[in-house]
Amino acid sequence: MIIDTHVHVYPPEVERSWQKIAEKEPYFASLVQSRVHRWGTLEILLEAMEEDGVDQSWICGFGFTDMGLCREVNDYVLEASKRYPEKILPMIVVPPLHPETEEEISRCAAKGAIGVGELFPGGQRWDIDDLRQTWRLAGICHEASLFLLIHTAEPVGHDYPGKGATGPREAASFCVHHPEVSVIFAHWGGGLWLYEAMPEMRCYLQNAWYDMAASPFLYGKEMFRALSGMPLVMQRTLYGSDFPLLRLPRYRSLLEEAFPENVGSFGPELFGENARILRAKLGK
């Protein structure tokens, strides 16, 4: 069973009104106007899943600063899950510091949400290493047995739209402050996983999970070879495509380059088994 844990879909209304939305949402504007951006509705996603052999997708909208827009995309993913309960599982987005965030998370959790994210620290203007800004969100997710999916990026290398400045240092601080919350750091945590080779960081990061979203744009086959030498991290690494940006074949090719003779030894774990373990841990 192949599970994609990092998928974005957009209601048709958002696509039609994107220019108006972009006027008030600068982070959204920077992404939708980039040369690699693609729109994706539920219908487009379902077609892609059928073509690529993806059995289940964990989907979310876009993490806006406006609560009204967040509610709109949340309703879209919740309805999608209601229509396809085995194939589509909903994650929901909120502005983390908004006074109605707790209410929105509770509303969506009652309707079957399994997680909160993808949240954008830079785009939504909150600091994940500041306990004063994170404790309320972490507490809500813990009480509702929801994981968090947080955008992170590597602190070196080329710049690109949406990269942001939240990387391994900030992600590690979040885990130290909130060991009770299961948190997926998108895009490998910006390299945070490598620091689990340090004994004290391995202890601090027991609640950290990592997705491989956008890997073909960022890393070569050496990434997976290095990962294979850290089995405890491998057990908390998830396949996430960042659809509609990328799809499964690009990730399979990267893994096959890394392990041309024994890719089958790693595929099931990364592409499905770990995701089921995370859900079981949360009772979802």
Side-chain angles (χ1 to χ4, degrees):
M1 184 176 183
I2 297 176
I3 301 174
D4 188 342
T5 65
H6 188 139
V7 173
H8 295 278
V9 292
Y10 299 88
E13 296 81 1
V14 169
E15 182 176 352
R16 285 194 293 266
S17 306
W18 76 265
Q19 291 176 309
K20 184 177 180 181
I21 295 172
E23 292 176 0
K24 297 183 178 181
E25 296 279 346
Y27 188 76
F28 173 76
S30 70
L31 291 177
V32 299
Q33 296 179 76
S34 73
R35 62 183 180 85
V36 298
H37 173 74
R38 292 180 174 85
W39 295 104
T41 60
L42 172 64
E43 289 70 27
I44 292 173
L45 170 63
L46 291 170
E47 290 178 7
M49 290 174 65
E50 183 67 24
E51 291 175 7
D52 297 345
V54 175
D55 299 290
Q56 186 179 90
S57 291
W58 299 3
I59 71 171
C60 61
F62 189 89
F64 293 104
T65 61
D66 180 83
M67 179 61 87
L69 287 170
C70 286
R71 287 196 185 98
E72 182 177 345
V73 296
N74 290 343
D75 286 341
Y76 185 71
V77 301
L78 289 168
E79 177 60 27
S81 180
K82 183 178 179 180
R83 291 170 60 190
Y84 302 95
E86 300 301 320
K87 296 178 71 69
I88 303 295
L89 298 183
M91 298 183 288
I92 55 100
V93 290
V94 290
L97 302 180
H98 195 280
E100 297 174 14
T101 285
E102 182 175 2
E103 178 184 343
E104 178 63 6
I105 291 176
S106 297
R107 178 184 78 91
C108 295
K111 293 187 176 184
I114 63 168
V116 175
E118 184 186 9
L119 301 183
F120 304 113
Q124 295 180 298
R125 299 190 289 274
W126 66 299
D127 297 323
I128 68 170
D129 58 341
D130 186 341
L131 181 59
R132 296 167 298 179
Q133 296 187 35
T134 58
W135 71 269
R136 190 180 301 276
L137 177 66
I140 297 165
C141 290
H142 175 58
E143 290 176 2
S145 297
L146 303 173
F147 64 80
L148 273 165
L149 170 61
I150 299 176
H151 175 84
T152 49
E154 61 289 349
V156 296
H158 67 282
D159 196 13
Y160 48 84
K163 180 174 182 175
T166 300
R169 180 185 293 275
E170 294 79 11
S173 292
F174 183 92
C175 288
V176 170
H177 292 155
H178 305 293
E180 74 282 6
V181 181
S182 294
V183 55
I184 304 171
F185 292 114
H187 320 296
W188 300 99
L192 178 62
W193 66 275
L194 181 60
Y195 293 97
E196 293 206 29
M198 301 169 66
E200 69 271 28
M201 295 310 298
R202 190 181 310 129
C203 178
Y204 291 143
L205 300 176
Q206 292 182 57
N207 61 325
W209 297 68
Y210 309 95
D211 80 28
M212 60 181 78
S215 291
F217 286 163
L218 299 170
Y219 301 106
K221 59 189 177 184
E222 295 82 5
M223 166 66 81
F224 289 100
R225 289 178 178 172
L227 181 68
S228 69
M230 299 181 67
L232 293 179
V233 176
M234 179 84 81
Q235 293 168 11
R236 288 179 280 113
T237 299
L238 306 165
Y239 166 57
S241 66
D242 218 348
F243 179 92
L245 188 64
L246 289 165
R247 289 171 55 174
L248 179 62
R250 291 287 296 275
Y251 295 87
R252 280 199 181 282
S253 295
L254 199 57
L255 201 63
E256 288 167 0
E257 287 181 36
F259 307 107
E261 297 180 357
N262 62 342
V263 65
S265 300
F266 303 100
E269 189 174 7
L270 299 177
F271 289 94
E273 290 178 7
N274 292 346
R276 289 197 294 272
I277 290 170
L278 175 57
R279 283 191 64 198
K281 178 181 179 182
L282 295 171
K284 296 293 183 182

